[in-house]
Amino acid sequence: MKFFHLSDLHIGLKLINRDLREDQEYILQQIADAAAKERPEAVIVAGDIYDKAVPSAEAVELFDQFISRLTASLPETSVMLISGNHDSGPRVNCFRSVLARQNVHMIGLPPRTEDEFIKKVILKDAYGTVNFYLLPFVKPSMVRQIVGTDESGSPLSYDETLRRLIGREAVNPAERNVIVSHQFYLPAGKQAEEVERMDSEIRTVGNIDQVSADVLSSFDYAALGHIHKPMKVGSESVRYCGTPLACSVSEAGQQKGILLTEMMEKGNVRTTVLPLKPLRQVRVIRGEFEEVLRQACADYVTVVLTDRVDLDILDMQDRIRSAFPYLLEIRRESRRKADYCTEMDAPEALDPFELCCSFLKDVDDEEKELLKDVIYSVQEGGQR
């Protein structure tokens, strides 16, 4: 069984106000071409199809073109997509039963009642059955009716919610099982702070959305979405494939690609990265003014000027924009600190939890937990 593992397309994204439609169309065409060449039995998109819950008409049109190319060239291939935290679950879920008859499985909502379970798509090959469990992004409040609450009646943690939700499934250990999920999974024993996050990712206060990856132990492969940098979560078979296209300057220089996963007999899984080449790279060019100008290019560029003195050049910005037609931003790395406070000199912005703790000063552990719960409830309510 051979399948493509993709995630975090973020169709409709703007990179510091640069419209990426042309770049996304270019990369989606590469993916469709690679699928036509490799002929996988399934193509998986593990969440964040769109960048916004209500995507623009242009974004929907681009997504439609992508799916149309896939299904036209590979009519026997199953296309499986789940909603991520950027998507609207109900919108993704629309026409679910109609699309399933076309071998396109778009799952926007997790099970929410006792008689509902995680959507399972069953495929077969020479080695037998492969069960694909399609689990969209989950907040504890979404599935409260079936997973319950804690002793005080409050929503469960993300970790306990996922344990109970997955624990309801009758996963057959004799067959090969794949889960497609869009959550913040951590290797067992790891802290959230140890995982490198990209600027384009949404983060929760106190990392309350973290889930230990050992909850996925009953699956032969976990096709994960949400983290934008490709990474393994404790094992070769629990993988974030990352974004197919850089979504922020923090992803400059990353090699993006498609994870081609091959499942042979039970316990034998192999992954290969099929590199993707963007229309334009995302780059950070650092140096003094004249040195920077000598590196003119047509990529998306953040310029970081390191000149030690003030530059008395009236047309400085015009000259930089002329050298870099796809300029994203200009930063100053070093200026006289007695006179200036620049973006590069300023301390990192605190998240709401840290800001409240800093303001309240002496906060004990019990008060911190209460504060996290209050901020989490406000954030969750605002994202609905």
Side-chain angles (χ1 to χ4, degrees):
M1 180 73 62
K2 183 163 65 172
F3 59 87
F4 277 9
H5 172 192
L6 298 157
S7 77
D8 296 87
L9 305 182
H10 286 279
I11 298 173
L13 172 77
K14 292 185 184 296
L15 180 60
I16 312 185
N17 294 321
R18 286 281 183 183
D19 190 337
L20 295 182
R21 180 187 170 96
E22 186 181 13
D23 304 82
Q24 292 185 323
E25 186 172 13
Y26 184 85
I27 215 74
L28 291 174
Q29 181 64 60
Q30 271 191 63
I31 293 169
D33 290 344
K37 178 182 177 182
E38 295 290 341
R39 308 198 69 80
E41 281 78 16
V43 174
I44 291 169
V45 179
D48 282 354
I49 299 164
Y50 297 110
D51 191 57
K52 298 185 183 303
V54 183
S56 67
E58 292 78 12
V60 175
E61 180 185 19
L62 182 53
F63 175 64
D64 177 65
Q65 290 174 1
F66 173 57
I67 297 299
S68 296
R69 289 191 194 108
L70 285 178
T71 55
S73 61
L74 299 168
E76 302 302 318
T77 293
S78 294
V79 180
M80 308 178 199
L81 310 99
I82 62 170
S83 64
N85 56 307
H86 279 254
D87 298 310
S88 164
R91 287 174 183 270
V92 172
N93 223 50
C94 195
F95 306 119
R96 170 173 162 175
S97 58
V98 174
L99 289 169
R101 293 198 289 271
Q102 307 301 317
N103 223 8
V104 177
H105 306 275
M106 288 187 66
I107 312 302
L109 296 171
R112 291 170 296 166
T113 61
E114 286 293 338
D115 60 344
E116 292 179 340
F117 292 87
I118 298 172
K119 170 63 179 178
K120 183 168 70 171
V121 176
I122 302 172
L123 300 182
K124 295 182 182 294
D125 66 4
Y127 295 102
T129 298
V130 181
N131 302 303
F132 291 85
Y133 290 82
L134 309 182
L135 179 59
F137 176 67
V138 176
K139 291 180 182 178
S141 60
M142 293 177 176
V143 293
R144 188 173 183 168
Q145 183 177 338
I146 56 175
V147 301
T149 61
D150 64 16
E151 295 176 354
S152 65
S154 299
L156 297 171
S157 67
Y158 275 78
D159 187 274
E160 184 59 26
T161 294
L162 266 294
R163 289 183 189 283
R164 295 192 186 186
L165 197 59
I166 293 172
R168 299 172 70 244
E169 303 296 321
V171 179
N172 185 346
E175 296 178 339
R176 292 165 296 164
N177 300 289
V178 176
I179 188 166
V180 183
S181 181
H182 190 97
Q183 304 285 157
F184 180 28
Y185 289 102
L186 289 175
K190 283 271 189 180
Q191 298 297 313
E193 296 74 18
E194 299 176 63
V195 177
E196 184 181 6
R197 306 291 298 276
M198 301 296 103
D199 293 344
S200 49
E201 297 171 24
I202 291 178
R203 310 184 199 192
T204 59
V205 175
N207 293 303
I208 58 171
D209 59 339
Q210 66 187 44
V211 180
S212 177
D214 62 5
V215 71
L216 306 172
S217 60
S218 56
F219 298 94
D220 298 275
Y221 185 83
L224 306 180
H226 190 47
I227 301 299
H228 288 184
K229 181 179 180 179
M231 63 176 282
K232 302 169 190 174
V233 189
S235 82
E236 291 285 337
S237 58
V238 182
R239 306 281 291 256
Y240 284 106
C241 61
T243 57
L245 194 68
C247 295
S248 65
V249 175
S250 63
E251 294 165 63
Q254 284 183 16
Q255 175 61 65
K256 302 296 188 177
I258 305 162
L259 266 182
L260 172 61
T261 303
E262 297 176 89
M263 303 188 80
M264 281 65 77
E265 69 278 9
K266 177 80 173 178
N268 188 356
V269 180
R270 181 173 60 200
T271 57
T272 306
V273 177
L274 305 180
L276 291 169
K277 183 179 180 181
L279 183 61
R280 303 174 187 90
Q281 297 284 353
V282 175
R283 300 176 59 193
V284 177
I285 296 180
R286 178 180 282 101
E288 295 188 354
F289 179 65
E290 295 296 340
E291 178 188 359
V292 163
L293 291 184
R294 288 194 292 271
Q295 301 179 61
C297 66
D299 290 326
Y300 290 117
V301 172
T302 285
V303 168
V304 182
L305 296 174
T306 61
D307 299 81
R308 298 285 179 180
V309 295
D310 290 331
L311 297 173
D312 188 16
I313 304 172
L314 292 177
D315 63 345
M316 181 181 72
Q317 288 196 23
D318 289 340
R319 289 175 65 184
I320 291 175
R321 291 182 188 282
S322 177
F324 306 103
Y326 293 94
L327 180 72
L328 297 175
E329 58 184 339
I330 303 171
R331 300 182 189 172
R332 293 296 302 273
E333 186 174 72
S334 178
R335 301 181 72 176
R336 291 177 297 175
K337 293 187 179 181
D339 298 326
Y340 303 99
C341 178
T342 70
E343 178 186 352
M344 300 300 290
D345 298 324
E348 293 184 2
L350 298 176
D351 71 24
F353 175 69
E354 292 170 332
L355 197 59
C356 288
C357 288
S358 175
F359 177 76
L360 295 172
K361 302 297 183 187
D362 300 322
V363 184
D364 61 31
D365 290 341
E366 184 177 348
E367 290 169 331
K368 285 182 179 179
E369 289 303 314
L370 178 60
L371 186 59
K372 280 184 183 179
D373 187 52
V374 170
I375 296 174
Y376 158 67
S377 298
V378 171
Q379 279 192 331
E380 188 174 51
Q383 292 175 4
R384 287 178 192 157

